[in-house]
Structure formats: C-alpha cells, structure tokens
Amino acid sequence: MIEVKNVHKRFEKIEALKGMSTEIREGAVFGLVGSNGAGKSTFLRILSGVLRPDEGEVLIDGIPVYERIEAKEKLFFIPDDQYFFPNSCPKDMMEYYSILYSGFDRRKFLEYMQRFGLDPGRKLSTFSKGMKRQVSVLLGICAGTKYLLCDETFDGLDPVMRQAVKSIFVSEIMGREFTPIIASHNLRELEDICDHVGLLHQGGILFSKDLEEMKHNIQKIQCVIPDTALEEQLLKELDVLQCVRSGSLLTITARGTKIEIMERVEDKQPLFCEILPLTLEEIFISETEVAGYDIKHLIF
C-alpha cells in the first residue's frame, strides 16, 4: 500500500501540494484526475521519490520513498516528459533498466515490441510521440515492479493502442502483484479501467472514492409517467441531482440505490422505465456539486 501523509510541496511562492493525504491500496487501478496545474505531476514525482516533500511523508509498503532504494525498487515512474539516452534504441533502454530492476523481463519486452510493431533496434529519436509513449509503457510494465506510476499515460496514443495498453494492465493485475497509478486530466481515458478515483484540485485531494461505491449510490433513470401529479410527486420524493425533459420522457439523475429508486418510480405507474449506465463524468459532477464545487471549472 502507498500512504501519503499530509504532504506539502512549494516552488518559491507557488504551493503545489497543500497537506495532501490519501491511501492507494494494492491490486487496484488508481486514477488521479484534475485540471492542468492541479499538482498531478508534482504528486507523482513525490510518490516516486524524485522530489522531496517540504512537509509530510510518503510510504511505500511502510518504507519512506525518498532516497530509499528498497522503496524505489518497488515502483517505476513514467513521466509525461519522457527521457531516453541520446542515440539509444529500445533495446538499449531495456539493457539499462535490466540493471536497475532485477525483475525486468527481457523476453516479455521483446515480445510486446513485436506485437506492437515496434523495432527494438531502431533509434528512438526517429519514433513518433505515440511510439515513444508505447515504449515507455512497455518498459514500465516489463520492469516487474509492484507499482507503476503513469503521468498522462494515454496522451499521444491512438484509440487502438489505448485499449491495448489497458488490456495489458488488466492482464498484469490478474497475473501478479501490480498496482497502476494513472494521472490524467481526461475522465474518459480512465472510465473503463479505474477501480478507485481521486480528484486533485488546487494542490489537495478533493475526494478519493471507490468507483463502484459511487455508482451504487447514484442512478440515472429514463421514464414516462402519464399522470402529471404522480410525476411531480416522484420528483419531490427523489434526491434529484439533475432532471431533463424531452417531450413526455424524463431523464433523472438521483441519489439512492437502484432498488430504492425503481420502487418509487414503479409506484407512479410509468408507461416506460429503465436504468441507464452512468459515465464517470456524470458521477463526478454529482460528487463535486455536493462538495460545493462546479466540476466544469475543475476538469475537462
């Protein structure tokens, strides 16, 4: 488990992180979302031990991460601004990381390179941004570390490659101890892979919650209720977050369990009623509104 305890980080007059505290459990995909400048990259650099917090501490399986080899060997950090040695090729980087990480799987790396259509002997300087990103991700996965820290991992990847990387993450989680932490400003990139999501805003975690738990307590319903009085009664009974009308069709987003809400809707004798899947963006809108924030000003 990764424990972040009251972490502060300042750069001259700019306070990038303000008393951040959170826990990242093992075996789950943790998504960190927030607008550009919210502190995501600083947070990941502190998690990886690249930066030292001004106050507070970060523990990797109970070990302080800063300047501790036994903690750092448990993680691999893929920064947004990737770096490769001058004139190096993927095979050179494989050899380098094989020295740093005793569990680096060379065979798996070369197999993935072949599957992705990447030449391990080609100079990385000739690769496109997306191809370089693929190499970075494959190096991180094949390092065999327990934790993989990813800053804007899917930026520059086409839709097919994004899905391929997500599939590899799932496969690794099923096969070994593996916990990806993915920072992004784009909710849609994280929607189909994350188990737990934290919203970073102005240097602090606004909230950190299990995605399934959030989905369990918020429902989206479409219904047609011919009796106007019963329709008005339903809207008063429900904890409505949003209600949109299209002719006689109501689309309601409300707090409560699926059973509770469906019982109330069915009691109003609807001609039609169904539960719709909620997007991560819709869930976050409801959660941030309760916290007193407008998500439209926080994330994109």
Side-chain angles (χ1 to χ4, degrees):
M1 180 172 68
I2 297 178
E3 300 170 84
V4 181
K5 300 182 179 181
N6 194 34
V7 167
H8 292 257
K9 185 63 183 178
R10 303 174 188 86
F11 299 99
E12 296 181 352
K13 295 182 179 181
I14 299 173
E15 192 170 13
L17 299 180
K18 307 173 184 178
M20 179 180 289
S21 296
T22 191
E23 292 183 352
I24 300 175
R25 68 176 187 266
E26 300 172 13
V29 182
F30 185 92
L32 183 69
V33 297
S35 58
N36 294 324
K40 300 187 300 299
S41 295
T42 300
F43 178 61
L44 289 185
R45 282 172 166 78
I46 287 177
L47 282 190
S48 63
V50 174
L51 294 178
R52 183 176 188 171
D54 298 323
E55 300 174 38
E57 64 177 348
V58 174
L59 304 177
I60 306 292
D61 294 343
I63 306 171
V65 68
Y66 189 74
E67 293 186 340
R68 295 288 292 272
I69 294 175
E70 60 269 39
K72 289 189 176 184
E73 65 185 6
K74 295 175 179 286
L75 58 88
F76 191 104
F77 176 41
I78 305 174
D80 185 29
D81 50 343
Q82 303 159 80
Y83 174 79
F84 301 108
F85 296 134
N87 298 317
S88 66
C89 64
K91 195 171 182 180
D92 294 330
M93 299 306 299
M94 176 189 73
E95 296 296 338
Y96 170 71
Y97 284 117
S98 295
I99 297 172
L100 295 180
Y101 296 100
S102 59
F104 195 99
D105 193 330
R106 300 185 186 194
R107 180 189 58 80
K108 181 188 287 187
F109 178 73
L110 294 175
E111 286 180 357
Y112 276 140
M113 289 290 290
Q114 184 177 16
R115 285 170 56 182
F116 277 60
L118 300 171
D119 182 357
R122 177 179 164 185
K123 298 295 184 183
L124 282 159
S125 59
T126 67
F127 280 28
S128 68
K129 178 182 178 181
M131 294 166 69
K132 290 177 181 177
R133 179 70 68 179
Q134 292 171 46
V135 173
S136 294
V137 171
L138 296 180
L139 286 168
I141 289 170
C142 295
T145 58
K146 187 175 181 180
Y147 302 100
L148 180 63
L149 313 182
C150 309
D151 192 359
E152 301 291 352
T153 307
F154 303 110
D155 185 30
L157 298 183
D158 63 49
V160 174
M161 287 299 105
R162 289 181 186 183
Q163 193 57 48
V165 169
K166 291 177 182 179
S167 298
I168 292 174
F169 281 177
V170 173
S171 176
E172 292 293 315
I173 290 171
M174 297 295 290
R176 64 181 177 92
E177 287 186 324
F178 182 61
T179 303
I181 296 97
I182 306 172
S184 178
H185 64 278
N186 192 329
L187 283 170
R188 292 179 180 85
E189 288 183 348
L190 304 178
E191 186 164 7
D192 60 350
I193 189 173
C194 289
D195 304 296
H196 198 98
V197 182
L199 177 59
L200 184 60
H201 179 54
Q202 294 181 350
I205 292 283
L206 187 58
F207 63 79
S208 176
K209 293 188 178 182
D210 185 86
L211 189 54
E212 287 303 316
E213 179 185 341
M214 288 192 284
K215 287 182 177 180
H216 179 73
N217 294 314
I218 303 173
Q219 312 300 328
K220 186 176 182 181
I221 317 100
Q222 276 192 339
C223 60
V224 175
I225 301 174
D227 190 315
T228 303
L230 290 176
E231 180 186 279
E232 292 177 357
Q233 184 180 343
L234 173 66
L235 294 177
K236 291 178 181 179
E237 292 178 0
L238 295 178
D239 185 2
V240 177
L241 299 171
Q242 186 181 50
C243 181
V244 178
R245 178 184 295 278
S246 178
S248 59
L249 180 68
L250 283 181
T251 302
I252 303 169
T253 303
R255 289 191 174 278
T257 67
K258 187 180 296 185
I259 294 175
E260 292 170 346
I261 291 178
M262 286 303 292
E263 283 180 350
R264 292 186 180 277
V265 174
E266 290 172 355
D267 186 53
K268 305 303 182 290
Q269 304 172 10
L271 293 177
F272 167 79
C273 179
E274 68 172 346
I275 294 284
L276 300 177
L278 275 165
T279 66
L280 182 56
E281 183 173 328
E282 289 171 321
I283 293 172
F284 264 58
I285 288 172
S286 62
E287 294 290 346
T288 51
E289 285 177 347
V290 169
Y293 292 89
D294 184 353
I295 196 172
K296 297 180 182 66
H297 300 303
L298 303 182
I299 52 181
F300 301 97

